[in-house]
Amino acid sequence: METLIGQKVHHFLRRGIFFSHRDLHLILKRYEEKKPFFLYTGRGPSSSALHLGHLIPFFFTRWLQEAFNVPLIIQMTDDEKYLWKDLTIEKTKELTKENIKDIIAMGFDVNKTFIFSDLSFIGKCPEFYENIIRVQRSVTFNQVKGIFGFGDSDCIGKISFPAIQAAPSFSSSFPFIFNGKKDIPALIPCAIDQDPYFRMTRDVAPRLSLPKPALLHSSFLPALTGAQTKMSASDPNNSIFLTDTPNQIKNKINRYAFSGGGATIDEHRANGGNCDIDIAFQYMNFFLEDDNRLEQIRSEYSSGQLLTGDLKKELIGILQTIVAQHQERRKAVTDEVVEQFMSLRKLNL
């Protein structure tokens, strides 16, 4: 990849945060042959404020868009959240709009990015709906039950939804962008828990004479209280939100971030800290871009030279900067900007 794009790859790749793939080599081969591909990712809007864990695929997707200069499709699955969560359709639409503003604030190129919500888009694009029902006819109830664990008491909307997430994998779903071409493959950066949707999609694609999407999988940003759980929007003390103030970020890290250091200063100096379980260091691995500084911190913390309080202090500064900069950019995202990203239009391919 570095040979093709002429620059270092993103630190998420260098550090194994994006740790596995399906058919990435075929996408790189197409790029080398100057053949097109596009990026596709998405977000299920279940909360008004995103947390840092939600940003991981979007950080990497933005880098991919800039590095490869390719179009991007972002699906907002507001229909999914209506089916799975105790939300009204009106509330899901409201959350979708707020989440889109956060996504736009990450710096995506409006000339190369199309964002859509399922509830508003399906009725505007027959080709998208046609691909949905093609996928639906190709997957049996037994298959979808085996993949996603649906039970007899689940509503029928859940059973049919995976086809809606599959459809943006195909360029033919967006004729106004790709001029009706069916043979342009997608590269999908996503969290590892989304892989079942796209295993199903990849199984169906050849039967529809469509290209299989390629995938890049990320690990989860762990919750503040420990590396065994992922950051969740349902627990405000376990997550850093994009709406948090500098003081809230400081208090959450100091109070809740699980430490891999010694119980006392003397014990820590003698035995060092465990970077594998220390949440402050794990977050540094995600958000500190400087490889040399990260290795210095790893060495000093493991040896006991760097104390837990000092490690947390440096992390607090990094996260406060990321969140504050995001909040400033988000202020500039008006309803008109949202409409621009969501309008049906040609993209700069």
Side-chain angles (χ1 to χ4, degrees):
M1 189 182 287
E2 289 182 341
T3 301
L4 288 175
I5 62 176
Q7 59 178 278
K8 281 178 74 173
V9 296
H10 196 279
H11 68 275
F12 284 178
L13 265 185
R14 299 198 302 270
R15 297 174 191 170
I17 291 166
F18 274 81
F19 66 95
S20 74
H21 74 88
R22 296 184 188 277
D23 285 349
L24 175 63
H25 59 291
L26 297 181
I27 295 292
L28 296 180
K29 186 166 185 275
R30 284 185 67 88
Y31 184 77
E32 190 172 22
E33 295 170 350
K34 302 195 180 332
K35 294 178 181 177
F37 72 94
F38 69 99
L39 297 168
Y40 158 41
T41 194
R43 159 84 185 133
S46 58
S47 60
S48 58
L50 302 188
H51 59 60
L52 289 178
H54 292 139
L55 299 191
I56 302 307
F58 289 110
F59 275 133
F60 189 59
T61 301
R62 185 193 64 196
W63 177 82
L64 287 169
Q65 183 183 52
E66 293 171 353
F68 289 93
N69 192 26
V70 288
L72 165 64
I73 307 291
I74 299 176
Q75 179 186 41
M76 304 298 292
T77 56
D78 42 9
D79 51 346
E80 174 201 19
K81 293 308 173 186
Y82 174 73
L83 293 168
W84 262 265
K85 303 285 186 180
D86 186 20
L87 297 168
T88 64
I89 284 182
E90 292 71 25
K91 185 63 177 177
T92 60
K93 287 182 175 181
E94 178 189 324
L95 296 178
T96 297
K97 191 172 185 179
E98 294 304 309
N99 283 195
I100 288 173
K101 288 182 177 180
D102 275 320
I103 291 168
I104 291 171
M106 297 192 67
F108 292 106
D109 184 346
V110 68
N111 296 310
K112 296 189 180 74
T113 305
F114 173 57
I115 304 176
F116 71 95
S117 103
D118 288 340
L119 288 175
S120 65
F121 180 63
I122 288 177
K124 298 176 184 175
C125 187
E127 293 84 355
F128 182 60
Y129 184 61
E130 287 164 11
N131 275 341
I132 290 171
I133 61 169
R134 286 187 180 106
V135 174
Q136 287 174 345
R137 195 172 78 169
S138 302
V139 182
T140 68
F141 175 61
N142 272 342
Q143 285 175 310
V144 86
K145 188 166 63 170
I147 295 169
F148 300 101
F150 295 138
D152 294 340
S153 60
D154 282 309
C155 70
I156 59 173
K158 290 183 180 182
I159 295 158
S160 62
F161 171 76
I164 300 173
Q165 187 162 320
S169 306
F170 308 125
S171 60
S172 56
S173 294
F174 308 98
F176 54 94
I177 295 175
F178 299 107
N179 300 315
K181 291 183 179 178
K182 299 181 179 181
D183 60 346
I184 302 176
L187 173 60
I188 307 173
C190 60
I192 186 62
D193 63 340
Q194 298 302 300
D195 187 62
Y197 286 97
F198 300 116
R199 285 205 313 271
M200 181 201 77
T201 308
R202 285 168 54 83
D203 180 57
V204 165
R207 287 182 271 153
L208 302 179
S209 300
L210 295 170
K212 292 182 178 182
L215 299 172
L216 274 163
H217 305 115
S218 75
S219 55
F220 294 118
L221 181 69
L224 286 172
T225 50
Q228 301 308 310
T229 55
K230 69 173 183 175
M231 191 174 276
S232 170
S234 61
D235 187 348
N237 293 327
N238 233 349
S239 307
I240 304 295
F241 289 92
L242 297 181
T243 52
D244 283 349
T245 65
N247 205 42
Q248 284 176 314
I249 293 170
K250 178 182 176 182
N251 289 338
K252 285 182 180 182
I253 296 297
N254 283 331
R255 187 176 301 178
Y256 299 112
F258 185 82
S259 171
T264 65
I265 291 179
D266 289 342
E267 183 183 321
H268 184 81
R269 295 286 193 207
N271 301 322
N274 184 348
C275 291
D276 293 334
I277 64 171
D278 191 281
I279 290 299
F281 183 81
Q282 294 299 315
Y283 280 29
M284 287 280 197
N285 192 44
F286 277 84
F287 298 112
L288 176 60
E289 294 186 23
D290 187 331
D291 291 337
N292 293 329
R293 177 59 184 150
L294 184 70
E295 283 309 307
Q296 182 184 6
I297 291 170
R298 186 196 302 273
S299 174
E300 292 179 359
Y301 192 64
S302 299
S303 69
Q305 181 182 345
L306 184 70
L307 297 176
T308 297
D310 298 324
L311 177 60
K312 287 186 174 183
K313 183 179 179 181
E314 185 161 348
L315 173 65
I316 288 165
I318 292 170
L319 297 186
Q320 285 174 335
T321 299
I322 290 172
V323 172
Q325 289 176 347
H326 180 89
Q327 290 170 354
E328 279 302 306
R329 291 192 302 269
R330 196 187 190 282
K331 289 177 184 176
V333 182
T334 62
D335 290 348
E336 289 72 28
V337 172
V338 171
E339 288 175 14
Q340 194 177 359
F341 272 87
M342 298 184 74
S343 63
L344 276 62
R345 68 202 189 282
K346 295 281 186 188
L347 295 182
N348 185 1
L349 304 182

